[in-house]
Amino acid sequence: MKALSDNQCEVCRGDSPKLSEPEIKALLGEIPDWSVEVRGGVMQLERVFSFSNYNSALNFTVKVGHTAEEQDHHPALLTEWGKVTVTWWSHVIKGLHRNDFVMAAKTDKVYDLSEA
Amino acid sequence: MKALSDNQCEVCRGDSPKLSEPEIKALLGEIPDWSVEVRGGVMQLERVFSFSNYNSALNFTVKVGHTAEEQDHHPALLTEWGKVTVTWWSHVIKGLHRNDFVMAAKTDKVYDLSEA
C-alpha cells in the first residue's frame, strides 16, 4: 500500500466533504504523533517538533514551507527556540480533509530526514 | 540620535530590570505598528506583517530568524499564508526588556527592505 506521505493533495473545494470521525480515527493511526485540536469549532491537526537549536528549527520551517508550496496547501508554522509547532487544516471546508493527513505525514518525513 | 534599529541587544539576565510603563510608552512611539499583548501575565510585543503570497512570508520569517540569531534573541514567528505574526519578549525576565524594542525595530527594517 502506498504510504500516506507519498500521496498528493487533491483539489479541495467548499463542497468537498469533511472527514467522518471513523475516517479521522483510522488516519490518525498512520500519524500517531499528531493530535486533533478544535479551535473556534474547527478541527486541526497539530504536532510540536523539537530541535536542539534555533537554526535547526528555522531550517525545518523552511523545508515544511517548501513542501506546502509544492502541494499548494499551507499550514500554520510557529517557530520558536528549539521547537516548531505545525498545524494543518483545510480553511475552505473549515475542518479536516484527507489532504491534511497527507501533509502531516509528509511533515513527519521531512522531520525524520532532517534529524537522521 | 541613533535609530532604535541600529542598537545591539545587551545581555539580559534574570535580575535585569523590566521596563517601566513610561519607558514602554516612550519606546512604543518609535515602533508605532507594534502593540503590547499580555499572555499569562507576560507582556509581549506583537505585529502582524502582510504579504501577497506564501513564499514572501516564508522568506521574511527566515530573514527575521537570521537577525534573531545574530543578536542571540529569539522571537515566536507564526508563518501563515500571506502573513507572519512576530512576537518579542524576554523569557528570562518574563516581560519586556529594551532588547525587545530593539528587535522589533530591526524587524520593521527587515520588512521595509523586503517590501521595498
Side-chain angles (χ1 to χ4, degrees):
Chain A
M1 200 181 82
K2 204 174 184 180
L4 193 58
S5 62
D6 292 331
N7 283 239
Q8 305 298 313
C9 281
E10 54 193 70
V11 174
C12 178
R13 284 182 294 259
D15 60 354
S16 298
K18 288 183 201 177
L19 292 169
S20 67
E21 278 199 36
E23 285 170 325
I24 288 173
K25 206 172 167 186
L27 284 166
L28 274 176
E30 296 193 50
I31 51 163
D33 296 316
W34 292 75
S35 61
V36 173
E37 306 289 333
V38 182
R39 294 192 179 93
V42 177
M43 290 179 92
Q44 304 180 322
L45 279 180
E46 193 159 278
R47 180 178 169 190
V48 180
F49 295 86
S50 296
F51 301 89
S52 55
N53 59 58
Y54 194 77
N55 263 344
S56 300
L58 193 60
N59 288 340
F60 176 73
T61 294
V62 171
K63 284 179 192 163
V64 176
H66 289 166
T67 307
E69 274 289 272
E70 280 166 19
Q71 296 290 324
D72 197 20
H73 188 40
H74 301 89
L77 293 167
L78 177 60
T79 312
E80 298 173 274
W81 201 98
K83 65 178 179 177
V84 178
T85 306
V86 182
T87 312
W88 290 103
W89 77 102
S90 293
H91 305 65
V92 74
I93 59 166
K94 295 187 175 68
L96 291 175
H97 185 274
R98 195 171 193 280
N99 288 348
D100 299 302
F101 287 83
V102 169
M103 293 310 293
K106 286 184 187 293
T107 309
D108 283 346
K109 204 170 173 182
V110 169
Y111 184 67
D112 292 342
L113 290 172
S114 307
E115 294 298 286
Chain B
M1 201 182 79
K2 204 174 185 180
L4 192 58
S5 62
D6 292 331
N7 282 238
Q8 304 300 312
C9 282
E10 56 193 68
V11 174
C12 177
R13 283 183 294 258
D15 59 355
S16 299
K18 287 182 200 179
L19 292 169
S20 67
E21 278 200 35
E23 285 171 326
I24 287 173
K25 205 171 166 184
L27 284 165
L28 274 175
E30 296 192 50
I31 50 163
D33 295 316
W34 293 74
S35 62
V36 174
E37 305 290 334
V38 182
R39 294 193 180 93
V42 176
M43 289 178 92
Q44 304 179 321
L45 280 179
E46 194 159 279
R47 181 178 170 190
V48 180
F49 295 86
S50 297
F51 301 89
S52 55
N53 59 57
Y54 194 76
N55 263 343
S56 300
L58 194 60
N59 288 340
F60 176 72
T61 294
V62 171
K63 284 180 192 163
V64 176
H66 289 166
T67 307
E69 274 289 271
E70 280 166 19
Q71 297 290 324
D72 197 21
H73 188 40
H74 301 90
L77 294 167
L78 176 61
T79 312
E80 296 172 276
W81 202 97
K83 66 178 177 175
V84 178
T85 306
V86 182
T87 312
W88 290 103
W89 76 101
S90 294
H91 304 66
V92 73
I93 59 168
K94 295 185 176 67
L96 291 175
H97 184 274
R98 194 173 195 280
N99 289 347
D100 298 303
F101 288 83
V102 169
M103 293 310 293
K106 286 184 187 294
T107 309
D108 282 347
K109 206 170 172 181
V110 169
Y111 184 68
D112 292 344
L113 291 171
S114 307
E115 295 298 286

mmCIF file with all atom_site columns, all heavy atoms in Angstrom, chain A residues 31-55:
data_model
loop_
_atom_site.group_PDB
_atom_site.id
_atom_site.type_symbol
_atom_site.label_atom_id
_atom_site.label_alt_id
_atom_site.label_comp_id
_atom_site.label_asym_id
_atom_site.label_entity_id
_atom_site.label_seq_id
_atom_site.pdbx_PDB_ins_code
_atom_site.Cartn_x
_atom_site.Cartn_y
_atom_site.Cartn_z
_atom_site.occupancy
_atom_site.B_iso_or_equiv
_atom_site.pdbx_formal_charge
_atom_site.auth_seq_id
_atom_site.auth_comp_id
_atom_site.auth_asym_id
_atom_site.auth_atom_id
_atom_site.pdbx_PDB_model_num
ATOM 1   N N   . ILE A 1 31 ? -0.434  8.497  11.617 1.00 0.00 ? 31 ILE A N   1
ATOM 2   C CA  . ILE A 1 31 ? 0.412   9.628  12.073 1.00 0.00 ? 31 ILE A CA  1
ATOM 3   C C   . ILE A 1 31 ? 0.231   9.771  13.592 1.00 0.00 ? 31 ILE A C   1
ATOM 4   O O   . ILE A 1 31 ? -0.330  10.750 14.082 1.00 0.00 ? 31 ILE A O   1
ATOM 5   C CB  . ILE A 1 31 ? 0.065   10.945 11.329 1.00 0.00 ? 31 ILE A CB  1
ATOM 6   C CG1 . ILE A 1 31 ? -1.452  11.239 11.376 1.00 0.00 ? 31 ILE A CG1 1
ATOM 7   C CG2 . ILE A 1 31 ? 0.559   10.922 9.889  1.00 0.00 ? 31 ILE A CG2 1
ATOM 8   C CD1 . ILE A 1 31 ? -1.799  12.686 11.024 1.00 0.00 ? 31 ILE A CD1 1
ATOM 9   N N   . PRO A 1 32 ? 0.770   8.796  14.355 1.00 0.00 ? 32 PRO A N   1
ATOM 10  C CA  . PRO A 1 32 ? 0.467   8.715  15.790 1.00 0.00 ? 32 PRO A CA  1
ATOM 11  C C   . PRO A 1 32 ? 1.008   9.871  16.637 1.00 0.00 ? 32 PRO A C   1
ATOM 12  O O   . PRO A 1 32 ? 0.571   10.038 17.779 1.00 0.00 ? 32 PRO A O   1
ATOM 13  C CB  . PRO A 1 32 ? 1.119   7.390  16.207 1.00 0.00 ? 32 PRO A CB  1
ATOM 14  C CG  . PRO A 1 32 ? 2.121   7.087  15.149 1.00 0.00 ? 32 PRO A CG  1
ATOM 15  C CD  . PRO A 1 32 ? 1.598   7.671  13.884 1.00 0.00 ? 32 PRO A CD  1
ATOM 16  N N   . ASP A 1 33 ? 1.935   10.662 16.088 1.00 0.00 ? 33 ASP A N   1
ATOM 17  C CA  . ASP A 1 33 ? 2.481   11.774 16.884 1.00 0.00 ? 33 ASP A CA  1
ATOM 18  C C   . ASP A 1 33 ? 1.647   13.049 16.774 1.00 0.00 ? 33 ASP A C   1
ATOM 19  O O   . ASP A 1 33 ? 1.962   14.063 17.401 1.00 0.00 ? 33 ASP A O   1
ATOM 20  C CB  . ASP A 1 33 ? 3.921   12.072 16.441 1.00 0.00 ? 33 ASP A CB  1
ATOM 21  C CG  . ASP A 1 33 ? 4.840   10.898 16.730 1.00 0.00 ? 33 ASP A CG  1
ATOM 22  O OD1 . ASP A 1 33 ? 4.738   10.337 17.833 1.00 0.00 ? 33 ASP A OD1 1
ATOM 23  O OD2 . ASP A 1 33 ? 5.636   10.528 15.844 1.00 0.00 ? 33 ASP A OD2 1
ATOM 24  N N   . TRP A 1 34 ? 0.604   13.020 15.989 1.00 0.00 ? 34 TRP A N   1
ATOM 25  C CA  . TRP A 1 34 ? -0.249  14.199 15.801 1.00 0.00 ? 34 TRP A CA  1
ATOM 26  C C   . TRP A 1 34 ? -1.492  14.098 16.678 1.00 0.00 ? 34 TRP A C   1
ATOM 27  O O   . TRP A 1 34 ? -1.989  13.006 16.956 1.00 0.00 ? 34 TRP A O   1
ATOM 28  C CB  . TRP A 1 34 ? -0.668  14.317 14.327 1.00 0.00 ? 34 TRP A CB  1
ATOM 29  C CG  . TRP A 1 34 ? 0.494   14.637 13.442 1.00 0.00 ? 34 TRP A CG  1
ATOM 30  C CD1 . TRP A 1 34 ? 1.476   13.773 13.050 1.00 0.00 ? 34 TRP A CD1 1
ATOM 31  C CD2 . TRP A 1 34 ? 0.828   15.911 12.876 1.00 0.00 ? 34 TRP A CD2 1
ATOM 32  N NE1 . TRP A 1 34 ? 2.400   14.424 12.263 1.00 0.00 ? 34 TRP A NE1 1
ATOM 33  C CE2 . TRP A 1 34 ? 2.038   15.738 12.139 1.00 0.00 ? 34 TRP A CE2 1
ATOM 34  C CE3 . TRP A 1 34 ? 0.241   17.176 12.909 1.00 0.00 ? 34 TRP A CE3 1
ATOM 35  C CZ2 . TRP A 1 34 ? 2.644   16.783 11.453 1.00 0.00 ? 34 TRP A CZ2 1
ATOM 36  C CZ3 . TRP A 1 34 ? 0.832   18.217 12.219 1.00 0.00 ? 34 TRP A CZ3 1
ATOM 37  C CH2 . TRP A 1 34 ? 2.031   18.020 11.510 1.00 0.00 ? 34 TRP A CH2 1
ATOM 38  N N   . SER A 1 35 ? -1.990  15.251 17.082 1.00 0.00 ? 35 SER A N   1
ATOM 39  C CA  . SER A 1 35 ? -3.243  15.251 17.827 1.00 0.00 ? 35 SER A CA  1
ATOM 40  C C   . SER A 1 35 ? -4.244  16.171 17.136 1.00 0.00 ? 35 SER A C   1
ATOM 41  O O   . SER A 1 35 ? -3.866  17.037 16.335 1.00 0.00 ? 35 SER A O   1
ATOM 42  C CB  . SER A 1 35 ? -3.010  15.710 19.268 1.00 0.00 ? 35 SER A CB  1
ATOM 43  O OG  . SER A 1 35 ? -2.504  17.018 19.265 1.00 0.00 ? 35 SER A OG  1
ATOM 44  N N   . VAL A 1 36 ? -5.498  15.944 17.422 1.00 0.00 ? 36 VAL A N   1
ATOM 45  C CA  . VAL A 1 36 ? -6.550  16.804 16.861 1.00 0.00 ? 36 VAL A CA  1
ATOM 46  C C   . VAL A 1 36 ? -6.892  17.874 17.896 1.00 0.00 ? 36 VAL A C   1
ATOM 47  O O   . VAL A 1 36 ? -7.167  17.567 19.056 1.00 0.00 ? 36 VAL A O   1
ATOM 48  C CB  . VAL A 1 36 ? -7.809  15.977 16.511 1.00 0.00 ? 36 VAL A CB  1
ATOM 49  C CG1 . VAL A 1 36 ? -8.956  16.887 16.083 1.00 0.00 ? 36 VAL A CG1 1
ATOM 50  C CG2 . VAL A 1 36 ? -7.499  14.969 15.409 1.00 0.00 ? 36 VAL A CG2 1
ATOM 51  N N   . GLU A 1 37 ? -6.808  19.126 17.496 1.00 0.00 ? 37 GLU A N   1
ATOM 52  C CA  . GLU A 1 37 ? -7.204  20.249 18.349 1.00 0.00 ? 37 GLU A CA  1
ATOM 53  C C   . GLU A 1 37 ? -8.421  20.910 17.709 1.00 0.00 ? 37 GLU A C   1
ATOM 54  O O   . GLU A 1 37 ? -8.504  20.955 16.481 1.00 0.00 ? 37 GLU A O   1
ATOM 55  C CB  . GLU A 1 37 ? -6.082  21.295 18.447 1.00 0.00 ? 37 GLU A CB  1
ATOM 56  C CG  . GLU A 1 37 ? -4.729  20.748 18.883 1.00 0.00 ? 37 GLU A CG  1
ATOM 57  C CD  . GLU A 1 37 ? -4.715  20.339 20.343 1.00 0.00 ? 37 GLU A CD  1
ATOM 58  O OE1 . GLU A 1 37 ? -5.507  20.905 21.124 1.00 0.00 ? 37 GLU A OE1 1
ATOM 59  O OE2 . GLU A 1 37 ? -3.919  19.438 20.701 1.00 0.00 ? 37 GLU A OE2 1
ATOM 60  N N   . VAL A 1 38 ? -9.333  21.387 18.529 1.00 0.00 ? 38 VAL A N   1
ATOM 61  C CA  . VAL A 1 38 ? -10.500 22.097 17.993 1.00 0.00 ? 38 VAL A CA  1
ATOM 62  C C   . VAL A 1 38 ? -10.415 23.559 18.429 1.00 0.00 ? 38 VAL A C   1
ATOM 63  O O   . VAL A 1 38 ? -10.335 23.858 19.624 1.00 0.00 ? 38 VAL A O   1
ATOM 64  C CB  . VAL A 1 38 ? -11.823 21.477 18.491 1.00 0.00 ? 38 VAL A CB  1
ATOM 65  C CG1 . VAL A 1 38 ? -13.013 22.200 17.871 1.00 0.00 ? 38 VAL A CG1 1
ATOM 66  C CG2 . VAL A 1 38 ? -11.871 19.991 18.150 1.00 0.00 ? 38 VAL A CG2 1
ATOM 67  N N   . ARG A 1 39 ? -10.350 24.458 17.459 1.00 0.00 ? 39 ARG A N   1
ATOM 68  C CA  . ARG A 1 39 ? -10.257 25.897 17.757 1.00 0.00 ? 39 ARG A CA  1
ATOM 69  C C   . ARG A 1 39 ? -11.359 26.629 17.001 1.00 0.00 ? 39 ARG A C   1
ATOM 70  O O   . ARG A 1 39 ? -11.411 26.549 15.773 1.00 0.00 ? 39 ARG A O   1
ATOM 71  C CB  . ARG A 1 39 ? -8.888  26.445 17.342 1.00 0.00 ? 39 ARG A CB  1
ATOM 72  C CG  . ARG A 1 39 ? -7.752  25.868 18.163 1.00 0.00 ? 39 ARG A CG  1
ATOM 73  C CD  . ARG A 1 39 ? -6.455  26.621 17.950 1.00 0.00 ? 39 ARG A CD  1
ATOM 74  N NE  . ARG A 1 39 ? -5.406  26.040 18.774 1.00 0.00 ? 39 ARG A NE  1
ATOM 75  C CZ  . ARG A 1 39 ? -4.553  25.095 18.364 1.00 0.00 ? 39 ARG A CZ  1
ATOM 76  N NH1 . ARG A 1 39 ? -4.624  24.632 17.135 1.00 0.00 ? 39 ARG A NH1 1
ATOM 77  N NH2 . ARG A 1 39 ? -3.636  24.625 19.188 1.00 0.00 ? 39 ARG A NH2 1
ATOM 78  N N   . GLY A 1 40 ? -12.192 27.306 17.736 1.00 0.00 ? 40 GLY A N   1
ATOM 79  C CA  . GLY A 1 40 ? -13.299 28.031 17.109 1.00 0.00 ? 40 GLY A CA  1
ATOM 80  C C   . GLY A 1 40 ? -14.192 27.089 16.314 1.00 0.00 ? 40 GLY A C   1
ATOM 81  O O   . GLY A 1 40 ? -14.682 27.479 15.241 1.00 0.00 ? 40 GLY A O   1
ATOM 82  N N   . GLY A 1 41 ? -14.338 25.862 16.814 1.00 0.00 ? 41 GLY A N   1
ATOM 83  C CA  . GLY A 1 41 ? -15.190 24.892 16.134 1.00 0.00 ? 41 GLY A CA  1
ATOM 84  C C   . GLY A 1 41 ? -14.536 24.209 14.943 1.00 0.00 ? 41 GLY A C   1
ATOM 85  O O   . GLY A 1 41 ? -15.170 23.389 14.279 1.00 0.00 ? 41 GLY A O   1
ATOM 86  N N   . VAL A 1 42 ? -13.256 24.542 14.675 1.00 0.00 ? 42 VAL A N   1
ATOM 87  C CA  . VAL A 1 42 ? -12.556 23.972 13.524 1.00 0.00 ? 42 VAL A CA  1
ATOM 88  C C   . VAL A 1 42 ? -11.553 22.910 14.007 1.00 0.00 ? 42 VAL A C   1
ATOM 89  O O   . VAL A 1 42 ? -10.698 23.195 14.852 1.00 0.00 ? 42 VAL A O   1
ATOM 90  C CB  . VAL A 1 42 ? -11.807 25.068 12.733 1.00 0.00 ? 42 VAL A CB  1
ATOM 91  C CG1 . VAL A 1 42 ? -11.010 24.462 11.576 1.00 0.00 ? 42 VAL A CG1 1
ATOM 92  C CG2 . VAL A 1 42 ? -12.787 26.108 12.215 1.00 0.00 ? 42 VAL A CG2 1
ATOM 93  N N   . MET A 1 43 ? -11.678 21.697 13.484 1.00 0.00 ? 43 MET A N   1
ATOM 94  C CA  . MET A 1 43 ? -10.725 20.637 13.831 1.00 0.00 ? 43 MET A CA  1
ATOM 95  C C   . MET A 1 43 ? -9.419  20.867 13.084 1.00 0.00 ? 43 MET A C   1
ATOM 96  O O   . MET A 1 43 ? -9.423  21.173 11.884 1.00 0.00 ? 43 MET A O   1
ATOM 97  C CB  . MET A 1 43 ? -11.298 19.265 13.464 1.00 0.00 ? 43 MET A CB  1
ATOM 98  C CG  . MET A 1 43 ? -12.450 18.842 14.347 1.00 0.00 ? 43 MET A CG  1
ATOM 99  S SD  . MET A 1 43 ? -13.113 17.231 13.845 1.00 0.00 ? 43 MET A SD  1
ATOM 100 C CE  . MET A 1 43 ? -12.159 16.147 14.890 1.00 0.00 ? 43 MET A CE  1
ATOM 101 N N   . GLN A 1 44 ? -8.318  20.726 13.816 1.00 0.00 ? 44 GLN A N   1
ATOM 102 C CA  . GLN A 1 44 ? -6.996  20.926 13.228 1.00 0.00 ? 44 GLN A CA  1
ATOM 103 C C   . GLN A 1 44 ? -6.074  19.803 13.680 1.00 0.00 ? 44 GLN A C   1
ATOM 104 O O   . GLN A 1 44 ? -6.229  19.270 14.776 1.00 0.00 ? 44 GLN A O   1
ATOM 105 C CB  . GLN A 1 44 ? -6.422  22.277 13.697 1.00 0.00 ? 44 GLN A CB  1
ATOM 106 C CG  . GLN A 1 44 ? -7.322  23.467 13.395 1.00 0.00 ? 44 GLN A CG  1
ATOM 107 C CD  . GLN A 1 44 ? -6.739  24.783 13.871 1.00 0.00 ? 44 GLN A CD  1
ATOM 108 O OE1 . GLN A 1 44 ? -6.132  24.853 14.927 1.00 0.00 ? 44 GLN A OE1 1
ATOM 109 N NE2 . GLN A 1 44 ? -6.920  25.822 13.078 1.00 0.00 ? 44 GLN A NE2 1
ATOM 110 N N   . LEU A 1 45 ? -5.092  19.495 12.845 1.00 0.00 ? 45 LEU A N   1
ATOM 111 C CA  . LEU A 1 45 ? -4.056  18.521 13.205 1.00 0.00 ? 45 LEU A CA  1
ATOM 112 C C   . LEU A 1 45 ? -2.830  19.274 13.692 1.00 0.00 ? 45 LEU A C   1
ATOM 113 O O   . LEU A 1 45 ? -2.386  20.224 13.028 1.00 0.00 ? 45 LEU A O   1
ATOM 114 C CB  . LEU A 1 45 ? -3.641  17.721 11.970 1.00 0.00 ? 45 LEU A CB  1
ATOM 115 C CG  . LEU A 1 45 ? -4.498  16.548 11.532 1.00 0.00 ? 45 LEU A CG  1
ATOM 116 C CD1 . LEU A 1 45 ? -3.865  15.917 10.293 1.00 0.00 ? 45 LEU A CD1 1
ATOM 117 C CD2 . LEU A 1 45 ? -4.618  15.520 12.660 1.00 0.00 ? 45 LEU A CD2 1
ATOM 118 N N   . GLU A 1 46 ? -2.265  18.847 14.812 1.00 0.00 ? 46 GLU A N   1
ATOM 119 C CA  . GLU A 1 46 ? -1.123  19.602 15.342 1.00 0.00 ? 46 GLU A CA  1
ATOM 120 C C   . GLU A 1 46 ? -0.041  18.677 15.906 1.00 0.00 ? 46 GLU A C   1
ATOM 121 O O   . GLU A 1 46 ? -0.335  17.646 16.522 1.00 0.00 ? 46 GLU A O   1
ATOM 122 C CB  . GLU A 1 46 ? -1.603  20.550 16.439 1.00 0.00 ? 46 GLU A CB  1
ATOM 123 C CG  . GLU A 1 46 ? -0.580  21.588 16.833 1.00 0.00 ? 46 GLU A CG  1
ATOM 124 C CD  . GLU A 1 46 ? -1.259  22.785 17.502 1.00 0.00 ? 46 GLU A CD  1
ATOM 125 O OE1 . GLU A 1 46 ? -1.773  23.659 16.778 1.00 0.00 ? 46 GLU A OE1 1
ATOM 126 O OE2 . GLU A 1 46 ? -1.282  22.820 18.743 1.00 0.00 ? 46 GLU A OE2 1
ATOM 127 N N   . ARG A 1 47 ? 1.201   19.076 15.675 1.00 0.00 ? 47 ARG A N   1
ATOM 128 C CA  . ARG A 1 47 ? 2.338   18.376 16.298 1.00 0.00 ? 47 ARG A CA  1
ATOM 129 C C   . ARG A 1 47 ? 3.437   19.392 16.599 1.00 0.00 ? 47 ARG A C   1
ATOM 130 O O   . ARG A 1 47 ? 3.679   20.302 15.799 1.00 0.00 ? 47 ARG A O   1
ATOM 131 C CB  . ARG A 1 47 ? 2.881   17.275 15.361 1.00 0.00 ? 47 ARG A CB  1
ATOM 132 C CG  . ARG A 1 47 ? 4.041   16.536 15.984 1.00 0.00 ? 47 ARG A CG  1
ATOM 133 C CD  . ARG A 1 47 ? 4.598   15.392 15.135 1.00 0.00 ? 47 ARG A CD  1
ATOM 134 N NE  . ARG A 1 47 ? 5.848   14.947 15.739 1.00 0.00 ? 47 ARG A NE  1
ATOM 135 C CZ  . ARG A 1 47 ? 6.714   14.094 15.182 1.00 0.00 ? 47 ARG A CZ  1
ATOM 136 N NH1 . ARG A 1 47 ? 6.452   13.568 14.005 1.00 0.00 ? 47 ARG A NH1 1
ATOM 137 N NH2 . ARG A 1 47 ? 7.835   13.758 15.812 1.00 0.00 ? 47 ARG A NH2 1
ATOM 138 N N   . VAL A 1 48 ? 4.087   19.214 17.747 1.00 0.00 ? 48 VAL A N   1
ATOM 139 C CA  . VAL A 1 48 ? 5.236   20.051 18.110 1.00 0.00 ? 48 VAL A CA  1
ATOM 140 C C   . VAL A 1 48 ? 6.508   19.251 17.818 1.00 0.00 ? 48 VAL A C   1
ATOM 141 O O   . VAL A 1 48 ? 6.661   18.129 18.312 1.00 0.00 ? 48 VAL A O   1
ATOM 142 C CB  . VAL A 1 48 ? 5.185   20.444 19.603 1.00 0.00 ? 48 VAL A CB  1
ATOM 143 C CG1 . VAL A 1 48 ? 6.389   21.321 19.953 1.00 0.00 ? 48 VAL A CG1 1
ATOM 144 C CG2 . VAL A 1 48 ? 3.884   21.164 19.937 1.00 0.00 ? 48 VAL A CG2 1
ATOM 145 N N   . PHE A 1 49 ? 7.385   19.808 17.002 1.00 0.00 ? 49 PHE A N   1
ATOM 146 C CA  . PHE A 1 49 ? 8.659   19.169 16.655 1.00 0.00 ? 49 PHE A CA  1
ATOM 147 C C   . PHE A 1 49 ? 9.785   19.837 17.441 1.00 0.00 ? 49 PHE A C   1
ATOM 148 O O   . PHE A 1 49 ? 9.843   21.070 17.500 1.00 0.00 ? 49 PHE A O   1
ATOM 149 C CB  . PHE A 1 49 ? 8.928   19.327 15.149 1.00 0.00 ? 49 PHE A CB  1
ATOM 150 C CG  . PHE A 1 49 ? 7.942   18.598 14.277 1.00 0.00 ? 49 PHE A CG  1
ATOM 151 C CD1 . PHE A 1 49 ? 6.742   19.196 13.912 1.00 0.00 ? 49 PHE A CD1 1
ATOM 152 C CD2 . PHE A 1 49 ? 8.199   17.310 13.838 1.00 0.00 ? 49 PHE A CD2 1
ATOM 153 C CE1 . PHE A 1 49 ? 5.821   18.532 13.116 1.00 0.00 ? 49 PHE A CE1 1
ATOM 154 C CE2 . PHE A 1 49 ? 7.290   16.632 13.034 1.00 0.00 ? 49 PHE A CE2 1
ATOM 155 C CZ  . PHE A 1 49 ? 6.102   17.240 12.671 1.00 0.00 ? 49 PHE A CZ  1
ATOM 156 N N   . SER A 1 50 ? 10.655  19.035 18.031 1.00 0.00 ? 50 SER A N   1
ATOM 157 C CA  . SER A 1 50 ? 11.735  19.580 18.875 1.00 0.00 ? 50 SER A CA  1
ATOM 158 C C   . SER A 1 50 ? 13.078  19.600 18.147 1.00 0.00 ? 50 SER A C   1
ATOM 159 O O   . SER A 1 50 ? 13.373  18.710 17.348 1.00 0.00 ? 50 SER A O   1
ATOM 160 C CB  . SER A 1 50 ? 11.883  18.732 20.140 1.00 0.00 ? 50 SER A CB  1
ATOM 161 O OG  . SER A 1 50 ? 10.710  18.826 20.893 1.00 0.00 ? 50 SER A OG  1
ATOM 162 N N   . PHE A 1 51 ? 13.867  20.614 18.492 1.00 0.00 ? 51 PHE A N   1
ATOM 163 C CA  . PHE A 1 51 ? 15.196  20.788 17.888 1.00 0.00 ? 51 PHE A CA  1
ATOM 164 C C   . PHE A 1 51 ? 16.183  21.259 18.955 1.00 0.00 ? 51 PHE A C   1
ATOM 165 O O   . PHE A 1 51 ? 15.774  21.839 19.964 1.00 0.00 ? 51 PHE A O   1
ATOM 166 C CB  . PHE A 1 51 ? 15.132  21.822 16.754 1.00 0.00 ? 51 PHE A CB  1
ATOM 167 C CG  . PHE A 1 51 ? 14.172  21.428 15.680 1.00 0.00 ? 51 PHE A CG  1
ATOM 168 C CD1 . PHE A 1 51 ? 12.834  21.807 15.755 1.00 0.00 ? 51 PHE A CD1 1
ATOM 169 C CD2 . PHE A 1 51 ? 14.581  20.616 14.643 1.00 0.00 ? 51 PHE A CD2 1
ATOM 170 C CE1 . PHE A 1 51 ? 11.923  21.404 14.799 1.00 0.00 ? 51 PHE A CE1 1
ATOM 171 C CE2 . PHE A 1 51 ? 13.676  20.210 13.677 1.00 0.00 ? 51 PHE A CE2 1
ATOM 172 C CZ  . PHE A 1 51 ? 12.349  20.601 13.755 1.00 0.00 ? 51 PHE A CZ  1
ATOM 173 N N   . SER A 1 52 ? 17.465  21.024 18.691 1.00 0.00 ? 52 SER A N   1
ATOM 174 C CA  . SER A 1 52 ? 18.471  21.376 19.699 1.00 0.00 ? 52 SER A CA  1
ATOM 175 C C   . SER A 1 52 ? 18.900  22.838 19.630 1.00 0.00 ? 52 SER A C   1
ATOM 176 O O   . SER A 1 52 ? 19.601  23.332 20.489 1.00 0.00 ? 52 SER A O   1
ATOM 177 C CB  . SER A 1 52 ? 19.696  20.466 19.556 1.00 0.00 ? 52 SER A CB  1
ATOM 178 O OG  . SER A 1 52 ? 20.185  20.554 18.232 1.00 0.00 ? 52 SER A OG  1
ATOM 179 N N   . ASN A 1 53 ? 18.494  23.529 18.588 1.00 0.00 ? 53 ASN A N   1
ATOM 180 C CA  . ASN A 1 53 ? 18.849  24.956 18.485 1.00 0.00 ? 53 ASN A CA  1
ATOM 181 C C   . ASN A 1 53 ? 17.872  25.685 17.547 1.00 0.00 ? 53 ASN A C   1
ATOM 182 O O   . ASN A 1 53 ? 16.981  25.058 16.959 1.00 0.00 ? 53 ASN A O   1
ATOM 183 C CB  . ASN A 1 53 ? 20.299  25.125 18.006 1.00 0.00 ? 53 ASN A CB  1
ATOM 184 C CG  . ASN A 1 53 ? 20.515  24.462 16.652 1.00 0.00 ? 53 ASN A CG  1
ATOM 185 O OD1 . ASN A 1 53 ? 19.842  24.790 15.677 1.00 0.00 ? 53 ASN A OD1 1
ATOM 186 N ND2 . ASN A 1 53 ? 21.439  23.511 16.601 1.00 0.00 ? 53 ASN A ND2 1
ATOM 187 N N   . TYR A 1 54 ? 18.089  26.981 17.427 1.00 0.00 ? 54 TYR A N   1
ATOM 188 C CA  . TYR A 1 54 ? 17.151  27.811 16.667 1.00 0.00 ? 54 TYR A CA  1
ATOM 189 C C   . TYR A 1 54 ? 17.272  27.585 15.163 1.00 0.00 ? 54 TYR A C   1
ATOM 190 O O   . TYR A 1 54 ? 16.261  27.480 14.462 1.00 0.00 ? 54 TYR A O   1
ATOM 191 C CB  . TYR A 1 54 ? 17.389  29.286 16.985 1.00 0.00 ? 54 TYR A CB  1
ATOM 192 C CG  . TYR A 1 54 ? 16.277  30.191 16.515 1.00 0.00 ? 54 TYR A CG  1
ATOM 193 C CD1 . TYR A 1 54 ? 15.079  30.264 17.211 1.00 0.00 ? 54 TYR A CD1 1
ATOM 194 C CD2 . TYR A 1 54 ? 16.411  30.960 15.376 1.00 0.00 ? 54 TYR A CD2 1
ATOM 195 C CE1 . TYR A 1 54 ? 14.040  31.081 16.781 1.00 0.00 ? 54 TYR A CE1 1
ATOM 196 C CE2 . TYR A 1 54 ? 15.374  31.790 14.942 1.00 0.00 ? 54 TYR A CE2 1
ATOM 197 C CZ  . TYR A 1 54 ? 14.198  31.841 15.645 1.00 0.00 ? 54 TYR A CZ  1
ATOM 198 O OH  . TYR A 1 54 ? 13.185  32.641 15.224 1.00 0.00 ? 54 TYR A OH  1
ATOM 199 N N   . ASN A 1 55 ? 18.523  27.493 14.686 1.00 0.00 ? 55 ASN A N   1
ATOM 200 C CA  . ASN A 1 55 ? 18.724  27.335 13.244 1.00 0.00 ? 55 ASN A CA  1
ATOM 201 C C   . ASN A 1 55 ? 18.101  26.056 12.703 1.00 0.00 ? 55 ASN A C   1
ATOM 202 O O   . ASN A 1 55 ? 17.544  26.050 11.604 1.00 0.00 ? 55 ASN A O   1
ATOM 203 C CB  . ASN A 1 55 ? 20.223  27.379 12.901 1.00 0.00 ? 55 ASN A CB  1
ATOM 204 C CG  . ASN A 1 55 ? 20.636  28.766 12.437 1.00 0.00 ? 55 ASN A CG  1
ATOM 205 O OD1 . ASN A 1 55 ? 19.790  29.595 12.093 1.00 0.00 ? 55 ASN A OD1 1
ATOM 206 N ND2 . ASN A 1 55 ? 21.922  29.036 12.445 1.00 0.00 ? 55 ASN A ND2 1
#
